[in-house]
């Protein structure tokens, strides 16, 4: 086998060759060919598996050339002599399953066994059933790779038992969310543990947090300086005053120290005012932006938010008899309405209109709507993206 074939052999799937001893056998000749590269066997396998240098046909040819099967003659052309097996003292960490790409048919044969995947699925579904909607973790966007799709396809037949026992749509939704959570844990996706927020995000920008911390420290320093100016000479106060004048030529024993203290206090107050003005300017700008956006989407909500809240509970409590008499006069007494001639005109005009057929939503309509929906559009209260509805076809 030539040098290129030896390097390309590391793309071979461990499950197809059987075991992981091939890595130690092939790593020794590789180190002889490339003595300057000092990497572990597992790292070399991972690197070449992800490089996508050769297509499937060439990989199959190199695999047959590198390790002949049991029914082939080892002495035929293109075969290599068998090397001794991997020693028994090889580190167990080297025998961990390799994250390998899937085959052309999308079969995920490594990283986790079927039983381990089933156990992860059971745990995720049980956890989702006992967790309220607002406390569910936020599902991340996962890469649309063959490996991730293979994990989803592997969990599909496992969901049949759960879905057949589902009693309502809410339980079905929790099962699908648990399956999505299991996929994220299997592929190692990062999950947020803080839970989801059902309303608009209220995260404070980092720069505003820093400014608020500066304001708090400046106010605390002003308090210490005022205490020192008033005659408080405790060691803690004196130490803080010295730190406030660090890097300057101000000495606490000089005669104009009171004037220096007043100037320092005024400077800190001006800084606090500037920082507060910056925060107010940001808040006003954010409010204007949100109002303009709400005006474009829902003017009624905007006007309702601008109205002053009504103060309730300040007047006398209404009498129950008066309340019943008021509503009874509106709903219980019969009323003869004088509809007028215009009602006959409208009835004659609408007599020739054919009533609309009742709308029937079929499963095919739902499937088509899900198929056309974007994969990672913002989900609803359940936190389930359309990607998972498309992936779990069962």
């Amino acid at each position: 086998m030539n040098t290129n074939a030896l390097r390309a052999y590391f793309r071979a799937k461990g499950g197809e060759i059987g075991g992981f001893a091939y890595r130690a056998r092939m790593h020794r000749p590789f180190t002889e060919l490339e003595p300057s590269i000092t990497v572990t066997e597992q790292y070399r396998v991972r690197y070449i598996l992800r490089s996508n240098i050769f297509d499937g046909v060439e990989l199959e040819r190199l695999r047959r050339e590198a390790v002949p099967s049991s029914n082939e003659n080892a002495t035929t052309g293109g075969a290599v002599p068998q090397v001794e097996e991997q020693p028994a003292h090889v580190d167990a960490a080297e025998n961990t399953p390799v994250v390998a790409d899937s085959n052309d048919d999308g079969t995920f044969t490594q990283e986790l066994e079927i039983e381990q995947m089933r156990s992860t699925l059971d745990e995720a579904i049980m956890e989702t059933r006992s967790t309220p909607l607002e406390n569910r973790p936020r599902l991340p966007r996962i890469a649309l790779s063959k490996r991730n799709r293979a994990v989803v396809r592997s969990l599909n037949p496992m969901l049949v038992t759960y879905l057949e026992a589902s009693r309502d749509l809410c339980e079905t939704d929790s099962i699908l969310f648990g399956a999505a959570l299991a996929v994220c844990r299997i592929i190692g996706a990062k999950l947020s543990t803080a839970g989801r927020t059902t309303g608009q995000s209220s995260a404070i920008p980092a720069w505003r947090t820093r400014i608020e911390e500066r304001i708090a420290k400046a106010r605390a320093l002003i308090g210490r300086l005022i205490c020192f100016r008033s005659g408080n000479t405790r060691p803690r106060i004196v130490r803080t005053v010295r730190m406030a004048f660090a890097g300057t030529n101000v000495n606490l024993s000089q005669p104009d120290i009171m004037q220096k203290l007043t100037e320092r206090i005024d400077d800190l107050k001006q800084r606090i005012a500037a920082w507060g003005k910056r925060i107010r300017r940001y808040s006003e700008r954010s409010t204007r932006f949100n109002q303009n956006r709400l005006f474009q989407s829902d003017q009624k909500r905007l006007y309702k938010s601008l109205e002053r809240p009504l103060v309730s509970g300040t007047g006398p409590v209404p009498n129950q008899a008066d309340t019943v008499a008021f509503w009874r006069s509106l709903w219980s007494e019969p009323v003869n309405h004088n509809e007028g001639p215009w009602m006959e005109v409208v009835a004659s005009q609408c007599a020739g209109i054919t009533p609309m057929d009742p709308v029937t939503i079929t499963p095919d309509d739902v499937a088509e709507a899900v198929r056309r929906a974007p994969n990672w559009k913002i989900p609803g209260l359940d936190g389930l993206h359309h990607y998972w509805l498309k992936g779990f076809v069962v």
Side-chain angles (χ1 to χ4, degrees):
M1 184 172 62
N2 55 21
T3 304
N4 293 332
L6 179 60
R7 293 191 179 98
Y9 174 71
F10 281 94
R11 286 185 54 88
K13 306 292 189 295
E16 296 171 359
I17 299 175
F20 300 97
Y22 76 97
R23 295 188 300 187
R25 296 199 305 268
M26 302 305 297
H27 188 68
R28 285 190 291 270
F30 181 80
T31 54
E32 296 176 0
L33 294 172
E34 299 289 344
S36 61
I37 301 178
T38 56
V39 294
T40 62
E41 304 167 9
Q42 184 174 357
Y43 175 82
R44 189 59 189 166
V45 172
R46 288 177 181 269
Y47 172 76
I48 301 182
L49 282 172
R50 297 172 182 174
S51 59
N52 294 327
I53 302 176
F54 305 100
D55 55 7
V57 178
E58 189 171 0
L59 285 178
E60 185 65 27
R61 182 184 61 81
L62 293 173
R63 190 177 298 113
R64 290 195 302 267
E65 180 182 349
V67 180
S69 59
S70 58
N71 56 357
E72 293 180 354
N73 189 1
T75 59
T76 57
V80 294
Q82 296 292 333
V83 190
E84 65 272 15
E85 293 296 329
Q86 184 184 11
H89 62 272
V90 175
D91 190 4
E94 294 294 326
N95 288 334
T96 55
V98 182
V99 180
D101 291 337
S102 59
N103 297 332
D104 295 337
D105 59 350
T107 304
F108 185 74
T109 58
Q110 287 197 338
E111 186 179 17
L112 284 176
E113 297 294 335
I114 299 300
E115 292 301 325
Q116 295 177 343
M117 297 173 66
R118 189 183 300 276
S119 176
T120 304
L121 178 62
D122 294 341
E123 181 182 354
I125 292 179
M126 293 297 295
E127 178 182 344
T128 305
R129 285 177 174 174
S130 60
T131 304
L133 287 177
E134 60 274 8
N135 294 337
R136 287 181 179 180
R138 187 184 299 273
L139 295 176
R141 298 184 180 185
I142 64 174
L144 302 178
S145 62
K146 291 183 178 180
R147 172 177 172 268
N148 294 344
R149 287 196 296 265
V151 176
V152 175
R153 281 193 291 268
S154 299
L155 292 184
N156 256 307
M158 303 180 188
L159 295 177
V160 176
T161 306
Y162 298 98
L163 294 175
E164 288 179 349
S166 177
R167 298 184 300 270
D168 52 15
L169 187 59
C170 294
E171 188 173 355
T172 301
D173 178 81
S174 65
I175 293 172
L176 295 180
F177 189 92
L181 184 62
V183 172
C184 294
R185 290 176 177 176
I186 291 173
I187 65 177
K190 185 179 295 184
L191 293 169
S192 63
T193 57
R196 300 179 301 111
T197 55
T198 56
Q200 187 178 2
S201 177
S202 59
I204 301 176
W207 62 268
R208 180 170 177 174
T209 303
R210 290 194 299 267
I211 291 178
E212 291 177 351
E213 292 176 356
R214 293 175 191 171
I215 292 175
K217 292 180 180 179
R219 286 175 176 172
L221 182 57
I222 289 176
R224 300 289 178 86
L225 294 178
I226 292 177
C227 290
F228 182 80
R229 191 176 58 178
S230 301
N232 190 341
T233 57
R234 288 185 300 177
R236 186 176 180 181
I237 301 297
V238 175
R239 184 167 60 251
T240 305
V241 175
R242 288 177 178 174
M243 292 175 59
F245 290 104
T248 62
N249 295 326
V250 178
N251 191 358
L252 300 184
S253 60
Q254 63 188 33
D256 59 344
I257 185 61
M258 294 300 172
Q259 181 181 358
K260 297 295 184 181
L261 286 172
T262 304
E263 293 176 355
R264 181 61 174 166
I265 291 172
D266 292 340
D267 177 69
L268 291 175
K269 289 182 178 179
Q270 292 177 8
R271 290 189 179 187
I272 291 175
W275 290 333
K277 187 176 181 180
R278 186 183 303 178
I279 294 177
R280 286 193 301 271
R281 188 168 60 248
Y282 165 78
S283 301
E284 293 174 357
R285 186 262 175 195
S286 179
T287 302
R288 289 195 303 269
F289 175 79
N290 293 331
Q291 289 178 352
N292 292 335
R293 185 173 58 179
L294 189 59
F295 180 81
Q296 298 293 334
S297 59
D298 193 347
Q299 298 181 11
K300 183 178 179 180
R301 279 185 57 194
L302 172 63
Y303 295 140
K304 189 174 181 179
S305 64
L306 295 177
E307 294 177 355
R308 293 183 178 180
L310 298 178
V311 180
S312 60
T314 57
V317 179
N319 189 5
Q320 182 178 2
D322 296 339
T323 304
V324 172
F326 173 78
W327 290 108
R328 182 173 294 170
S329 64
L330 295 178
W331 298 105
S332 298
E333 298 179 0
V335 179
N336 296 324
H337 297 281
N338 186 11
E339 297 177 348
W342 64 272
M343 289 294 295
E344 299 178 359
V345 176
V346 174
S348 61
Q349 291 176 355
C350 297
I353 298 178
T354 304
M356 185 180 66
D357 296 333
V359 178
T360 303
I361 300 177
T362 63
D364 294 337
D365 297 334
V366 177
E368 181 65 17
V370 173
R371 187 186 66 83
R372 292 178 176 272
N375 284 338
W376 303 111
K377 186 178 180 181
I378 297 177
L381 295 179
D382 59 350
L384 199 63
H385 297 88
H386 289 117
Y387 172 81
W388 305 109
L389 299 180
K390 297 177 183 180
F392 298 131
V393 294
V394 294

